């Protein structure tokens, strides 16, 4: 199985190629290039969110544990709440995000499950398109495609690492072969959720045009 650095490098490489190509083709403006590159690089790490001890999920956990409570504190402050209410509300939000939310998330996700699949990669790309669309339509397309390519690169790297060499020259498939670049997982509920999300995101992108 490929490591964090390999996936980070893979996502950054495909994102750099796509971003430079889009710039030279005049498809996106220079000001949106960093957005496309960063989102595409992030896409190269997204499939490993299903790894409970992986760096991507730990980074996401740390990020949300800071941002969400901070957003709640700001809302309470704007509403004119007292310092005690702000503190309690922020503390409860922190515990919900860091303990409850991620405990449920890690319980529901299985490594090399539905997040290591093509429909998940497409869903991430569509979500990225919706995220960037308020900034610029063409940058949104480029960002969505960059995220999809980043995810797909992750899956391909994992599949390339799913074989070893016997006697130094004879390629032999590992038991993990086919567990990354796939169209579905072994969980019916995970498949239904992923494909339902894919359909919803496709409709959202279509009607946002």
């Amino acid at each position: 199985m490929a490591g964090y650095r390999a996936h980070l490098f893979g996502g950054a490489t495909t994102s750099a190629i796509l971003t430079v190509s889009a710039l030279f083709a005049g498809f996106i403006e220079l000001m949106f290039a960093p957005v496309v590159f960063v989102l595409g690089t992030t896409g190269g790490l997204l499939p490993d969110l299903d790894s409970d001890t992986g760096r991507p999920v730990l980074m996401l956990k740390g990020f949300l544990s800071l941002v969400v409570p901070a957003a709640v504190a700001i809302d309470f402050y704007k509403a004119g709440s007292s310092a005690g209410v702000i503190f309690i509300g922020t503390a409860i939000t922190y515990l919900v995000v860091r303990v409850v939310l991620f405990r449920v998330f890690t319980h529901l996700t299985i490594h090399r499950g539905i997040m290591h699949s093509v429909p998940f990669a497409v869903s991430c790309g569509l979500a990225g398109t919706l995220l960037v669309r308020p900034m610029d339509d063409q940058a949104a397309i480029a960002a969505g495609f960059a995220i999809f390519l980043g995810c797909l690169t992750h899956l391909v790297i994992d599949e390339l690492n799913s074989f070893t060499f016997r006697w130094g020259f004879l390629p032999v498939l590992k038991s993990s072969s086919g567990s990354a670049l796939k169209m579905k997982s072994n969980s019916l509920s995970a498949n239904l959720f992923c494909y339902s999300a894919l359909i919803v995101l496709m409709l959202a992108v279509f009607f946002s045009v």
Side-chain angles (χ1 to χ4, degrees):
M1 186 186 302
Y4 170 81
R5 290 184 180 180
H7 291 311
L8 181 64
F9 178 77
T13 301
T14 55
S15 296
I17 294 173
L18 178 66
T19 303
V20 172
S21 299
L23 278 172
F24 274 96
F27 189 76
I28 62 172
E29 297 178 25
L30 182 61
M31 63 183 295
F32 296 117
V35 176
V36 174
F37 174 73
V38 170
L39 288 178
T41 302
T42 303
L45 303 174
L46 290 178
D48 271 348
L49 286 176
D50 60 11
S51 176
D52 296 353
T53 57
R55 244 187 238 187
V57 73
L58 294 178
M59 291 167 63
L60 179 64
K61 183 178 182 180
F63 176 75
L64 292 181
S65 296
L66 290 174
V67 173
V68 176
V72 170
I74 292 172
D75 284 340
F76 273 122
Y77 178 77
K78 288 181 177 179
S81 302
S82 65
V85 172
I86 294 175
F87 175 79
I88 294 173
T90 303
I92 292 175
T93 304
Y94 176 84
L95 291 174
V96 169
V97 172
R98 192 163 186 89
V99 180
V100 180
L101 178 63
F102 275 89
R103 183 164 293 182
V104 172
F105 180 79
T106 54
H107 177 73
L108 294 176
T109 55
I110 301 173
H111 191 45
R112 289 296 183 101
I114 195 62
M115 288 187 177
H116 279 73
S117 69
V118 175
F120 177 76
V122 177
S123 298
C124 289
L126 292 172
T129 299
L130 290 172
L131 179 67
V132 181
R133 175 147 283 167
M135 301 181 192
D136 181 78
D137 286 343
Q138 289 181 259
I141 295 172
F145 195 54
I147 294 172
F148 167 72
L149 278 183
C151 288
L152 196 62
T153 300
H154 181 118
L155 303 183
V156 171
I157 290 174
D158 276 348
E159 286 298 339
L160 291 176
N161 278 270
S162 65
F163 67 89
T164 185
F165 291 95
R166 184 175 295 173
W167 302 308
F169 67 92
L170 183 64
V172 178
L173 291 176
K174 299 179 183 177
S175 59
S176 61
S177 177
S179 64
L181 194 61
K182 59 184 183 292
M183 297 302 297
K184 63 182 183 67
S185 71
N186 294 326
S187 171
L188 178 60
S189 58
N191 293 332
L192 289 174
F193 179 81
C194 184
Y195 275 97
S196 297
L198 176 59
I199 293 172
V200 170
L201 287 167
M202 289 175 66
L203 291 173
V205 170
F206 178 79
F207 286 109
S208 68
V209 175

